[in-house]
Amino acid sequence: MGKKIFSGVQPTGNLHLGNYLGAIKNFVDLNNDDDNKCIFCVVDLHAITIKQDPKELKNNIRETVATFIASGIDPKKSIIFNQSGVAAHAEGAWILSCVARMGWLNRMTQFKEKAGKDKEKASIGLYSYPVLMAADILLYDATHVPVGDDQKQHLELCRDIAQKFNNDFEVENFLQVPEPLIQKEFSRIMSLKDGSKKMSKSDLSDSSRINLTDDKDQIINKIKKAKTDSLPMPKNIKELDERLEAKNLLGIYSSLNNSTLENSVKNFAGKNFSQFKEKLADELVHKIEPISNEIKKLLEDKSHLDEILLDGVEKANSIASKKIERIKEIVGF
Ligand code: TYM
């Protein structure tokens, strides 16, 4: 049976290889299956939980749409829209924030990481961010949510909120409890500078990540400079437990090739890192360069991207506004 897919990406600039391999690549596969109904959201309300420059935000919203399309999502088959265009997201988030418990949110590790040492200075939005994410998903009765591993805890929270709403208001199965779609391998791409840290948009070092807008030379240079250890390439999977950088690079290689980590380890066992890095850079250029070129081309026609968003907002709104009306009735408004 076809799946109802919903997922979101923050328009905070520097979309990178982690976003691509952890999430967007799966969006494309799901979009290509005609049985699925897919909705991909540029989550601009989430973006402002951390201060954004308004002009840059506007550009980043368009760049995220361009990245979706350049990666292979077809806006005729899937709904692509920005979250702030559909009022039901903010309304739904408020109602669900009265269902979610403080204790549940206090457990969220991403808030702790993002807020850092000075929690008092974090925005309230950053704290309640997973509730907005739950509203995003639940408004569309999504059955499956493709994300990278770092979003797993937020999806568990979304399931808890849906179940509590259904129980509290005695509306069995009204909010669809969604299943996460997280790949078994390669669901967490790590920094090129530190195999224990997630590849991230906010890392100050640009060489820690491959941006989806990087050109061929940038990709080759970043892979050349990527951290490794001084041993030859690992001979077996077990060695990877202690060689995080090798594990990450081999993981990226395998994911690009749709191959298993085991096979990639076998292919390069005992060789020099430089030989492997050359092959890895080739694979990356082959995959990322066309996406990067297409993003640049699409960004030349801003009004085309705006039209796609407007069309998406209209379609998303026609689904979400019905659901929020029912939610309001159930709550007693
Ligand atoms: P965001 O914008 O941080 O990331 C977008 C997607 O990319 C994945 N990702 C990674 N995957 C593997 N390795 C990495 N290093 C890596 N970095 C990022 C993320 O897991 C995510 O799938 N809260 C979400 C956006 C969101 C959302 C939603 C997602 C808002 N509403 C509803 C699903 C459903 C976020 O900040 O993703």
Side-chain angles (χ1 to χ4, degrees), residues 226-234 239 242-246 273:
K227 185 176 170 199
T228 53
D229 51 44
S230 52
L231 301 170
M233 292 290 290
E239 270 185 57
E242 279 164 21
R243 300 179 65 187
L244 297 183
E245 282 79 21
F273 266 103

Side-chain angles (χ1 to χ4, degrees), residues 98-112:
C98 301
V99 175
R101 305 288 94 181
M102 291 279 284
W104 300 356
L105 280 164
N106 285 340
R107 285 200 290 273
M108 296 296 114
T109 54
Q110 195 178 79
F111 173 74
K112 291 179 195 156

Side-chain angles (χ1 to χ4, degrees), residues 10 18-19 129 133 136 147-148 150-151 187 189 199 201:
Q10 290 197 59
N19 299 123
Y129 158 135
M133 181 163 161
D136 297 342
V147 283
D150 61 324
Q151 297 299 320
S187 59
I189 304 296
M199 184 178 285
K201 298 166 187 175

Side-chain angles (χ1 to χ4, degrees), residues 75-76 78-79 86 140 310-320:
K76 290 204 184 74
S78 297
I79 299 177
V86 178
Y140 298 90
L310 271 179
D311 182 53
V313 161
E314 199 179 309
K315 288 180 180 144
N317 197 36
S318 76
I319 304 171

Side-chain angles (χ1 to χ4, degrees), residues 24-301:
I24 299 173
K25 184 169 173 258
N26 294 351
F27 298 177
V28 177
D29 293 340
L30 292 160
N31 164 89
N32 286 342
D33 182 339
D34 286 335
D35 286 342
N36 296 333
K37 286 203 171 89
C38 300
I39 305 180
F40 300 115
C41 185
V42 181
V43 290
D44 47 9
L45 296 174
H46 276 108
I48 61 163
T49 56
I50 289 175
K51 197 169 187 306
Q52 302 292 324
D53 174 324
K55 271 204 197 100
E56 264 176 45
L57 180 60
K58 214 174 190 86
N59 282 331
N60 287 335
I61 291 171
R62 292 190 181 114
E63 191 169 308
T64 308
V65 180
T67 305
F68 284 169
I69 298 170
S71 304
I73 297 172
D74 178 356
K76 290 204 184 74
K77 272 169 100 177
S78 297
I79 299 177
I80 297 177
F81 79 107
N82 62 318
Q83 194 184 26
S84 64
V86 178
H89 290 253
E91 287 183 277
W94 178 259
I95 295 172
L96 295 181
S97 75
C98 301
V99 175
R101 305 288 94 181
M102 291 279 284
W104 300 356
L105 280 164
N106 285 340
R107 285 200 290 273
M108 296 296 114
T109 54
Q110 195 178 79
F111 173 74
K112 291 179 195 156
E113 281 162 22
K114 286 197 176 175
K117 285 197 195 87
D118 200 354
K119 281 201 196 65
E120 302 281 313
K121 287 222 171 104
S123 72
I124 294 168
L126 188 67
Y127 180 73
S128 61
Y129 158 135
V131 181
L132 174 60
M133 181 163 161
D136 297 342
I137 298 166
L138 300 175
L139 282 171
Y140 298 90
D141 299 324
T143 58
H144 294 82
V145 182
V147 283
D149 181 65
D150 61 324
Q151 297 299 320
K152 193 170 166 189
Q153 197 184 30
H154 292 160
L155 283 184
E156 277 158 13
L157 182 88
C158 172
R159 291 167 57 89
D160 289 344
I161 292 176
Q163 272 156 352
K164 183 161 164 51
F165 184 97
N166 291 344
N167 284 338
D168 285 359
F169 295 99
E170 296 175 29
V171 280
E172 211 182 334
N173 299 328
F174 169 70
L175 291 179
Q176 167 76 41
V177 181
E179 295 294 330
L181 280 181
I182 302 175
Q183 303 171 82
K184 283 200 195 74
E185 282 184 310
F186 331 126
S187 59
R188 186 176 279 255
I189 304 296
M190 310 310 272
S191 157
L192 299 179
K193 294 276 157 202
D194 178 351
S196 67
K197 245 172 79 184
K198 192 178 78 169
M199 184 178 285
S200 151
K201 298 166 187 175
S202 53
D203 196 317
L204 292 176
S205 159
D206 189 59
S207 45
S208 69
R209 61 180 167 263
I210 306 278
N211 299 307
L212 297 178
T213 48
D214 282 347
D215 63 26
K216 185 175 173 178
D217 292 343
Q218 285 168 312
I219 295 172
I220 293 173
N221 275 330
K222 285 181 181 177
I223 293 301
K224 257 193 205 145
K225 285 198 295 188
K227 185 176 170 199
T228 53
D229 51 44
S230 52
L231 301 170
M233 292 290 290
K235 296 203 175 62
N236 55 56
I237 288 253
K238 251 193 132 249
E239 270 185 57
L240 297 181
D241 292 343
E242 279 164 21
R243 300 179 65 187
L244 297 183
E245 282 79 21
K247 181 178 182 183
N248 186 41
L249 294 179
L250 279 159
I252 293 172
Y253 180 85
S254 313
S255 180
L256 289 166
N257 269 306
N258 295 319
S259 149
T260 61
L261 197 53
E262 203 162 6
N263 265 338
S264 302
V265 170
K266 244 190 231 158
N267 271 343
F268 294 99
K271 294 196 174 142
N272 290 331
F273 266 103
S274 58
Q275 284 169 288
F276 164 67
K277 279 184 164 183
E278 232 171 78
K279 286 265 188 290
L280 174 62
D282 280 352
E283 288 293 337
L284 277 166
V285 169
H286 178 69
K287 195 79 210 176
I288 304 301
E289 197 188 27
I291 295 178
S292 168
N293 289 340
E294 188 62 21
I295 293 173
K296 285 170 197 140
K297 213 167 93 194
L298 285 162
L299 282 172
E300 281 168 20
D301 190 353

